[in-house]
Amino acid sequence: MVRPGLFSGSKPTNSVKISFRLPYFTKWGESLLVCGSVPVLGSWNVKKGVLLSPFHQGDELIWGGSITVPSGFQCQYTYYVVDDNRNVLRAEMGRKRGLVLPEGIQSDQEIEFRDLWQTGSDAIPFTSAFKDVIFRQSWDSSKEATIGVNHIKLVPEAESIVVQFKVSCPNIEKDTSIYVIGSNTKLGNWKVENGLKLSYSGESETPWRGAGVAVPMFSVRSESDLGVGEFLDLKLLVDWAVASGFHLVQLLPINDTSVHQMWWDSYPYSSLSVFALHPLYLRVQALSEKIPEEIKQEIEKAKQQLDGKDVDYEATLTTKLSIAKKIFTREKDLILYSSSFKEFFSENEGWLKPYAAFCFLRDFFGTSDRTQWGNFAHYSEIKLEKLVSKESLHYEIISFHYYVQYHLHLQLSEAAEYARKKGVILKGDLPIGVDRNSVDTWVYPNLFRMNTSTGAPPDYFDKNGQNWGFPTYNWEEMSKDNYAWWRARLTQMAKYFTAYRIDHILGFFRIWELPDHAATGLVGKFRPSIPLSQEELEREGIWDFNRLSRPYIRKELLQEKFGAAWTFVATNFLNEYDKNCYEFKEDSNTEKKIASKLKTSAESSLLLESEDELRRNLFHLSQNVVLIRDPEDPRKFYPRFNLEDTTSFQDLDDHSKNVLKRLYYDYYFHRQENLWRQNALKTLPVLLNSSDMLACGEDLGLIPSCVHPVMQELGLVGLRIQRMPNEAGQEFGIPSQYSYMTVCAPSCHDCSTMRAWWEEDEERRRRFFKNVVESDALPPDQCVPEVAHFIIRQHVEAPSMWAIFPLQDLMALKEEYTTRPAAEETINDPTNPKHYWRYRVHVTLETLNKDNELKNIIKDLVGQSGRSVPSEKSEVEASLVSVLSTAGAVFETLQLAGAGEKIRLASESNGVPGKDALAAVS
């Protein structure tokens, strides 16, 4: 890992000059600044950091500056790119740099740091996933505090000092050498060929690669659960993972989603609270060691009743809470006054109190819609404290919610620690949104744009786009406290997980924003984005803005879409404002109004077409626009997605078409790139620096060109799904060509399983067999184990850091587990906003753990691919530096004569250096 160099002389002094020097090309209006842990460097207040000055050295732009410090000085520091007002545009990633200045340096000595900008990949070996799990036993905790801190030892009465150079340099190319060069003759006088060549100290010859299994918590089945997977089931899943050669278990979000207390709360990405865990995953048998016999019998009866093919969300949650309340009533005082509970409450009361109060109000008023809560519609600390007061009549209800969250915490913590000890990373999921009727929007309404909705533009999953219903974030407001809400979320997640998936990472660059009256995801705009101004359009000869921005409805279109029923549609939903020209009536001029009117219209059932088809065609009419007018500024416009598909566009003159096509492509593919890059570099580093978890980003969909470079800079691991290739013109991704900083998989929870995908399309199946399997034979109709083996082997052999497989895809390796229809194994249907998330694995974990044949098939695939396989005895296979890099750690010692000389160190960033790379002290 790249760290600054620190060299010094040996004579005593009271103050020393330290200089910083870093090559970095900036844009106009950008400057570099160094900020650190001590007052002279701003005490981590960037506004008070040391601004560096630029100068040119050949073709390089160098930024430099200096400070004067006392001998014995030590600190941590980081570089930032700032604007003219010292606002942070981006900060370097990785661990903070550190220095320790020894005693005995002369006042005329100067210590110069020649650093290079650090990227996020530099910090990957130090994430909790690797440090605390994969290499748990080999990590020397006594050295952790000084990793990345540079020391020079001055030996009393010695004529020289000894310096050891050491650097972790992942992914360097074959036949590449690492050199240290400097101004001293032993460092080559700045000539690479005369510098100090470092020796390789590790044993690994390839980058560390691992594999994992993905399964939603609710989908797990065990002999102990009550109708749904439970946190304590993770211990069995970890055992199976280890025996199958997996270092990772990936889950979907596990936060409480019980907004409506109905089955559609099964949607795991619509959080009631981003901090509270879902009571659905509670194991009631573990609540007490003294459960009375009648409650034990009730539990056994419930196990039989709820043990269905799919999750019965409502019945399962109701049953668990009912049983938990009975146990709580018997021993509430024992728990609530215990030191363990008091510690939990003290650490979590900031979110726990509002959560318990919200749940009480939801149940009391029968709705999570806080506009129906009267005096409690608006949150305040005073009202909250009255609600949760121990003297209140309803305190037992409030404390029951505390009790449930406490036990969920204990059970998940037990499972998480078990996974760590077994060398298995537990990977969580960070949803991009929260429900608009959630604890978070109640407590922090200023952090959300409540008159909007989030989603995704048309893509692989849905040609009409997606509307998730979440309010968009008010990033400007969030930035005022340095994104404290986000930082708290990540801190909470890190209590249980050592890695996490950032859901829809594109949302941190820009979000697809829809008006709250939209039902679909088609007619939206990106936020932030640079709109088309009225003046800009007028300069291009575009002027009829009402014509372009209101639904374009003509008689011929109505007749074409609705046939003989067009007069009914025109009479009930439209007004004729000009001859054969129509507009929607006030009661049906939005998608939600159309849907509502259809539900209450008895006459619609008399039509020849179904209500669904009628609604779909009415939506198409309302979406038949070319430009979307900004609701906050009527002189700004956004081109409608796929505007060329509309009859509104097709009826325009050629000049207008050409202009609008050009502006469309500029808006969606060029105009926003720098804005979105800047936005991501302001928000994502805060998330990544909030914990030491390994971060992965779900980067599927319409990918702006700025996304992957930013992810690479920040050290974010991307996602590659073979059927959704990033490369233009490819039908199927080529796993052997994936980059190292990726997770590869044949499918994910948002699409059909490998088996179902294979069966969906015969022609596509033939193309896959010919182009990927490279066989001219007729492919089998079913995804037989041989096909599954081929696809999975493709992925484990990929260069990707991780190959993570849905459990359903792994079970396809054995014919006896493929008796269930493939379509029934689908977790989510993104085209259906009311999809019921209820898939359960049809085999128990106990059965899978006994199946040595399947475990050995999987373990052989993983092991033969060169991926790391965990030891079932929890032994670590190698030290950190020797497995996390291609060349591992390289080091050499050098005795420097003349300790009074001024010495500088040139450093090189991690990644793939050139043939002769410059090394840094680490």
Side-chain angles (χ1 to χ4, degrees):
M1 175 162 292
V2 175
R3 296 299 169 204
L6 176 61
F7 291 84
S8 67
S10 59
K11 296 182 181 179
T13 185
N14 292 323
S15 63
V16 181
K17 183 180 180 182
I18 292 179
S19 297
F20 300 94
R21 174 177 169 143
L22 186 143
Y24 193 95
F25 282 100
T26 54
K27 296 181 180 179
W28 184 261
E30 295 180 343
S31 298
L32 247 68
L33 175 150
V34 60
C35 185
S37 59
V38 291
V40 71
L41 289 175
S43 298
W44 295 124
N45 181 346
V46 177
K47 300 282 188 183
K48 297 180 180 179
V50 176
L51 200 62
L52 305 181
S53 300
F55 61 93
H56 283 276
Q57 181 174 302
D59 293 333
E60 278 193 310
L61 180 64
I62 309 293
W63 291 83
S66 62
I67 56 174
T68 301
V69 299
S71 60
F73 175 82
Q74 50 185 292
C75 75
Q76 291 181 311
Y77 69 96
T78 293
Y79 292 102
Y80 298 85
V81 178
V82 297
D83 62 17
D84 292 338
N85 295 317
R86 295 199 177 202
N87 297 311
V88 176
L89 300 177
R90 54 190 168 276
E92 63 174 351
M93 301 300 294
R95 292 168 66 89
K96 292 180 173 62
R97 303 170 185 270
L99 66 91
V100 175
L101 197 64
E103 299 285 351
I105 301 177
Q106 298 181 51
S107 59
D108 59 350
Q109 294 293 130
E110 178 181 348
I111 301 172
E112 184 173 279
F113 292 80
R114 294 195 173 196
D115 295 323
L116 286 186
W117 185 267
Q118 291 185 149
T119 64
S121 59
D122 296 344
I124 284 178
F126 300 94
T127 60
S128 56
F130 288 104
K131 180 169 63 74
D132 298 337
V133 182
I134 304 297
F135 312 115
R136 179 185 178 111
Q137 304 301 323
S138 66
W139 190 268
D140 188 345
S141 59
S142 66
K143 296 181 180 179
E144 183 176 353
T146 61
I147 290 174
V149 179
N150 297 283
H151 297 272
I152 296 299
K153 291 184 179 180
L154 298 182
V155 184
E157 302 177 356
E159 294 296 324
S160 61
I161 59 175
V162 176
V163 180
Q164 183 183 66
F165 299 82
K166 189 174 182 179
V167 56
S168 173
C169 202
N171 301 329
I172 68 169
E173 296 176 344
K174 186 179 179 181
D175 300 324
T176 297
S177 300
I178 308 295
Y179 282 78
V180 175
I181 64 172
S183 60
N184 183 272
T185 55
K186 293 197 175 185
L187 291 177
N189 290 321
W190 298 114
K191 293 182 179 179
V192 173
E193 61 270 21
N194 297 327
L196 177 69
K197 184 176 180 179
L198 304 189
S199 305
Y200 172 60
S201 66
E203 298 175 359
S204 176
E205 295 182 359
T206 58
W208 188 95
R209 292 150 64 241
V213 59
V215 61
M217 190 70 258
F218 58 79
S219 298
V220 169
R221 186 188 293 267
S222 77
E223 294 173 4
S224 300
D225 70 50
L226 264 69
V228 71
E230 299 167 346
F231 288 147
L232 289 175
D233 289 329
L234 290 172
K235 296 168 74 174
L236 285 172
L237 183 57
V238 164
D239 287 340
W240 182 82
V242 170
S244 301
F246 291 141
H247 266 302
L248 183 147
V249 167
Q250 177 172 316
L251 304 176
L252 293 188
I254 54 172
N255 295 108
D256 191 352
T257 58
S258 56
V259 176
H260 308 284
Q261 296 186 298
M262 297 183 71
W263 65 264
W264 57 71
D265 289 338
S266 64
Y267 180 32
Y269 288 90
S270 189
S271 305
L272 173 80
S273 165
V274 299
F275 299 99
L277 299 171
H278 206 310
L280 190 69
Y281 305 130
L282 183 71
R283 175 157 296 170
V284 293
Q285 303 97 304
L287 291 176
S288 173
E289 296 178 353
K290 299 178 180 179
I291 298 177
E293 192 59 35
E294 63 270 19
I295 297 181
K296 287 182 179 179
Q297 292 177 4
E298 182 180 355
I299 292 172
E300 286 304 312
K301 183 179 179 181
K303 282 176 64 176
Q304 296 174 14
Q305 292 176 336
L306 296 171
D307 189 24
K309 181 178 74 173
D310 300 305
V311 177
D312 186 334
Y313 180 89
E314 292 171 89
T316 301
L317 184 58
T318 300
T319 300
K320 287 196 172 193
L321 290 176
S322 173
I323 294 171
K325 282 179 182 177
K326 293 175 182 178
I327 300 173
F328 168 74
T329 301
R330 295 177 58 88
E331 53 181 46
K332 58 187 175 185
D333 291 340
L334 178 66
I335 298 298
L336 298 180
Y337 289 99
S338 68
S339 58
S340 176
F341 173 81
K342 289 178 180 178
E343 181 181 358
F344 166 77
F345 185 83
S346 175
E347 291 178 358
N348 297 278
E349 62 180 314
W351 64 263
L352 191 55
K353 285 181 177 178
Y355 166 76
F358 187 98
C359 291
F360 167 75
L361 293 168
R362 174 199 62 195
D363 299 342
F364 182 83
F365 288 102
T367 178
S368 291
D369 180 0
R370 58 183 173 275
T371 64
Q372 308 299 311
W373 289 358
N375 188 43
F376 296 104
H378 299 287
Y379 173 86
S380 77
E381 290 286 344
I382 295 174
K383 294 175 187 175
L384 174 68
E385 291 304 324
K386 288 182 179 179
L387 270 175
V388 302
S389 169
K390 290 183 178 180
E391 284 69 45
S392 67
L393 295 174
H394 51 262
Y395 180 70
E396 184 167 327
I397 301 174
I398 294 289
S399 59
F400 174 68
H401 295 296
Y402 297 160
Y403 171 85
V404 170
Q405 287 300 312
Y406 168 65
H407 278 286
L408 286 166
H409 163 73
L410 292 180
Q411 292 179 16
L412 182 55
S413 297
E414 180 181 334
E417 181 56 26
Y418 186 84
R420 289 189 189 98
K421 288 181 177 178
K422 290 282 188 174
V424 173
I425 293 166
L426 203 57
K427 182 180 177 184
D429 199 323
L430 184 76
I432 187 62
V434 301
D435 198 283
R436 63 179 58 251
N437 292 316
S438 65
V439 181
D440 302 279
T441 58
W442 182 49
V443 177
Y444 308 107
N446 58 315
L447 301 184
F448 304 89
R449 291 170 50 80
M450 297 300 293
N451 63 336
T452 65
S453 183
T454 60
D459 59 11
Y460 174 92
F461 297 113
D462 194 337
K463 64 180 181 180
N464 290 315
Q466 298 175 54
N467 186 337
W468 302 323
F470 315 133
T472 54
Y473 295 121
N474 186 341
W475 290 109
E476 295 78 12
E477 192 67 27
M478 288 178 162
S479 68
K480 292 179 181 178
D481 60 5
N482 195 26
Y483 310 94
W485 181 76
W486 283 104
R487 288 185 284 114
R489 286 184 71 177
L490 271 296
T491 300
Q492 187 71 11
M493 278 192 76
K495 292 179 180 179
Y496 315 110
F497 299 104
T498 49
Y500 66 107
R501 166 190 179 272
I502 302 176
D503 173 44
H504 192 64
I505 198 170
L506 303 183
F508 294 92
F509 292 79
R510 83 295 186 269
I511 199 71
W512 187 245
E513 185 176 71
L514 302 150
D516 61 352
H517 56 68
T520 69
L522 184 59
V523 186
K525 61 183 178 64
F526 287 124
R527 184 177 187 89
S529 65
I530 304 167
L532 307 175
S533 68
Q534 185 167 321
E535 293 78 11
E536 180 181 4
L537 289 163
E538 287 173 344
R539 285 196 301 270
E540 297 279 3
I542 304 296
W543 54 271
D544 195 348
F545 300 108
N546 283 335
R547 153 71 176 84
L548 296 171
S549 63
R550 65 198 287 184
Y552 181 73
I553 307 172
R554 298 294 184 266
K555 178 180 176 180
E556 311 84 67
L557 180 61
L558 293 175
Q559 291 173 330
E560 177 188 334
K561 277 194 172 295
F562 301 101
W566 83 269
T567 54
F568 170 84
V569 171
T571 301
N572 286 272
F573 295 91
L574 307 169
N575 290 322
E576 187 175 17
Y577 68 88
D578 202 353
K579 184 174 177 59
N580 295 330
C581 298
Y582 295 84
E583 64 183 2
F584 278 100
K585 292 182 177 181
E586 178 66 28
D587 66 354
S588 51
N589 62 0
T590 70
E591 291 176 353
K592 285 187 176 177
K593 286 181 180 179
I594 290 171
S596 177
K597 188 169 181 176
L598 281 174
K599 286 186 181 300
T600 58
S601 174
E603 291 177 287
S604 64
S605 62
L606 302 177
L607 299 175
L608 296 177
E609 55 187 333
S610 68
E611 181 182 320
D612 284 346
E613 188 176 353
L614 178 57
R615 179 175 58 251
R616 189 162 50 248
N617 283 328
L618 286 169
F619 281 0
H620 286 166
L621 285 185
S622 71
Q623 297 161 352
N624 192 21
V625 298
V626 174
L627 296 176
I628 299 168
R629 195 185 293 266
D630 192 317
E632 297 169 11
D633 187 341
R635 296 180 64 83
K636 293 180 179 177
F637 300 88
Y638 305 88
R640 203 211 87 160
F641 199 90
N642 288 344
L643 57 79
E644 293 181 57
D645 294 343
T646 67
T647 56
S648 178
F649 177 86
Q650 291 159 9
D651 284 358
L652 292 172
D653 61 274
D654 288 343
H655 170 75
S656 297
K657 285 181 180 179
N658 291 332
V659 168
L660 289 166
K661 276 197 293 186
R662 175 165 48 80
L663 293 174
Y664 173 89
Y665 284 101
D666 180 61
Y667 176 84
Y668 281 100
F669 301 108
H670 301 290
R671 187 183 185 101
Q672 324 293 343
E673 292 296 323
N674 188 55
L675 173 65
W676 291 343
R677 170 183 164 80
Q678 297 277 355
N679 198 53
L681 288 172
K682 282 191 295 186
T683 56
L684 281 172
V686 178
L687 268 72
L688 302 177
N689 291 328
S690 298
S691 78
D692 59 358
M693 293 184 287
L694 173 68
C696 305
E698 184 260 298
D699 53 347
L700 303 177
L702 185 69
I703 311 293
S705 60
C706 64
V707 170
H708 290 145
V710 168
M711 290 182 67
Q712 184 175 5
E713 179 177 344
L714 300 183
L716 279 158
V717 182
L719 177 61
R720 299 294 176 267
I721 305 294
Q722 188 171 25
R723 71 186 71 169
M724 293 175 263
N726 287 337
E727 297 77 15
Q730 279 189 3
E731 183 177 13
F732 311 111
I734 306 173
S736 63
Q737 295 180 3
Y738 294 160
S739 67
Y740 177 67
M741 290 290 288
T742 57
V743 171
C744 68
S747 70
C748 65
H749 69 272
D750 274 329
C751 59
S752 55
T753 62
M754 187 169 65
R755 284 178 60 219
W757 178 81
W758 188 263
E759 296 173 13
E760 286 167 358
D761 188 325
E762 181 181 355
E763 289 303 315
R764 182 181 62 197
R765 185 166 66 236
R766 289 184 178 184
R767 292 192 301 272
F768 183 89
F769 217 61
K770 179 177 179 60
N771 299 324
V772 180
V773 182
E774 297 183 341
S775 170
D776 291 324
L778 192 67
D781 294 340
Q782 308 293 317
C783 184
V784 295
E786 290 79 11
V787 170
H789 192 280
F790 172 85
I791 295 174
I792 290 173
R793 181 166 58 83
Q794 268 197 312
H795 286 77
V796 293
E797 290 179 351
S800 303
M801 181 190 297
W802 290 102
I804 301 177
F805 303 93
L807 182 57
Q808 305 97 300
D809 291 354
L810 294 166
M811 292 170 66
L813 288 166
K814 196 168 179 183
E815 191 171 0
E816 70 180 79
Y817 297 129
T818 63
T819 55
R820 186 175 186 175
E824 293 182 4
E825 294 185 330
T826 299
I827 295 170
N828 178 36
D829 176 7
T831 66
N832 179 9
K834 289 295 184 183
H835 175 73
Y836 195 167
W837 297 63
R838 62 186 314 194
Y839 165 71
R840 290 189 81 195
V841 180
H842 61 291
V843 182
T844 66
L845 287 173
E846 288 85 354
T847 299
L848 288 176
N849 270 305
K850 292 175 185 176
D851 189 341
N852 292 327
E853 182 184 0
L854 178 62
K855 290 187 293 186
N856 288 334
I857 290 172
I858 298 171
K859 191 169 185 178
D860 286 346
L861 276 166
V862 176
Q864 290 169 10
S865 72
R867 291 185 179 271
S868 173
V869 175
S871 166
E872 296 190 45
K873 295 181 180 180
S874 301
E875 295 175 354
V876 179
E877 61 234 60
S879 66
L880 174 68
V881 294
S882 67
V883 294
L884 259 180
S885 60
T886 303
V890 288
F891 75 95
E892 189 58 83
T893 58
L894 171 68
Q895 183 163 301
L896 295 175
E901 294 184 55
K902 174 180 174 181
I903 302 174
R904 302 178 179 87
L905 177 75
S907 64
E908 177 61 72
S909 67
N910 284 2
V912 184
K915 291 291 179 184
D916 293 301
L918 308 181
V921 170
S922 180

Coordinates of all heavy atoms in Angstrom, one line a residue, residues 159-165 184 186 196 892-898:
E159 N 26.9 5.8 12.9 CA 27.2 6.7 11.7 C 26.2 6.6 10.6 O 26.2 7.3 9.7 CB 28.6 6.2 11.2 CG 29.7 6.4 12.1 CD 29.9 7.9 12.4 OE1 29.7 8.8 11.5 OE2 30.3 8.3 13.6
S160 N 25.2 5.7 10.8 CA 24.3 5.5 9.7 C 22.9 5.0 10.3 O 22.8 4.7 11.4 CB 24.8 4.5 8.7 OG 24.9 3.2 9.3
I161 N 21.9 5.1 9.5 CA 20.6 4.6 9.9 C 20.1 3.6 8.9 O 20.6 3.5 7.7 CB 19.5 5.7 9.9 CG1 19.4 6.4 8.5 CG2 19.9 6.7 11.0 CD1 18.3 7.5 8.5
V162 N 19.3 2.7 9.3 CA 18.8 1.6 8.4 C 17.3 1.9 8.1 O 16.5 2.1 9.0 CB 18.9 0.2 9.1 CG1 18.3 -0.9 8.3 CG2 20.4 -0.1 9.4
V163 N 17.0 1.8 6.8 CA 15.7 2.1 6.4 C 15.1 0.8 5.6 O 15.9 0.3 4.8 CB 15.6 3.3 5.4 CG1 14.2 3.5 4.9 CG2 16.1 4.5 6.1
Q164 N 14.0 0.4 6.0 CA 13.4 -0.7 5.3 C 12.2 -0.2 4.4 O 11.4 0.6 4.8 CB 12.8 -1.8 6.2 CG 12.2 -3.0 5.5 CD 11.6 -4.0 6.4 OE1 10.6 -3.7 7.0 NE2 12.2 -5.1 6.5
F165 N 12.3 -0.6 3.1 CA 11.2 -0.2 2.2 C 10.3 -1.4 2.0 O 10.8 -2.5 1.7 CB 11.9 0.2 0.8 CG 12.8 1.3 0.9 CD1 14.1 1.2 1.2 CD2 12.4 2.6 0.5 CE1 15.0 2.2 1.3 CE2 13.2 3.7 0.5 CZ 14.6 3.5 0.9
N184 N 19.9 10.3 -3.1 CA 21.1 9.7 -2.5 C 21.7 8.8 -3.6 O 21.0 8.2 -4.4 CB 20.7 8.9 -1.3 CG 21.9 8.3 -0.6 OD1 22.3 7.2 -0.9 ND2 22.5 9.0 0.3
K186 N 22.8 5.9 -3.2 CA 22.4 4.5 -3.0 C 20.9 4.3 -3.5 O 20.4 3.2 -3.6 CB 22.5 4.1 -1.5 CG 23.9 3.9 -1.1 CD 24.0 3.1 0.2 CE 25.5 2.9 0.6 NZ 25.6 2.0 1.7
L196 N 17.2 1.3 -6.2 CA 17.2 0.1 -5.4 C 16.1 -0.8 -5.8 O 14.9 -0.4 -5.7 CB 17.0 0.5 -3.9 CG 16.9 -0.7 -2.9 CD1 18.3 -1.4 -2.8 CD2 16.5 -0.2 -1.5
E892 N 13.1 -4.3 0.8 CA 14.5 -4.4 0.8 C 15.0 -3.4 1.9 O 14.2 -2.5 2.3 CB 15.1 -3.9 -0.5 CG 16.6 -4.2 -0.6 CD 16.9 -5.6 -0.4 OE1 16.9 -6.4 -1.4 OE2 17.3 -6.0 0.7
T893 N 16.1 -3.7 2.5 CA 16.7 -2.8 3.5 C 17.9 -2.1 2.9 O 18.6 -2.6 2.0 CB 17.1 -3.5 4.8 OG1 18.0 -4.5 4.4 CG2 15.9 -4.2 5.4
L894 N 18.1 -0.9 3.4 CA 19.2 -0.1 2.8 C 19.9 0.7 3.9 O 19.2 1.3 4.7 CB 18.6 0.9 1.8 CG 19.6 1.9 1.2 CD1 20.7 1.2 0.4 CD2 18.8 2.9 0.4
Q895 N 21.2 0.6 4.0 CA 21.9 1.4 5.0 C 22.3 2.7 4.4 O 23.0 2.7 3.3 CB 23.1 0.6 5.6 CG 23.8 1.4 6.7 CD 24.7 0.4 7.5 OE1 24.2 -0.5 8.1 NE2 26.0 0.7 7.5
L896 N 21.9 3.8 4.9 CA 22.2 5.1 4.4 C 23.3 5.8 5.1 O 23.2 6.0 6.3 CB 21.0 6.0 4.4 CG 19.8 5.5 3.6 CD1 18.6 6.4 3.8 CD2 20.2 5.5 2.1
A897 N 24.5 6.0 4.5 CA 25.6 6.7 5.1 C 25.3 8.2 5.1 O 24.5 8.7 4.3 CB 26.9 6.4 4.4
G898 N 25.9 8.9 6.0 CA 25.7 10.3 6.1 C 24.3 10.7 6.4 O 23.5 11.2 5.6

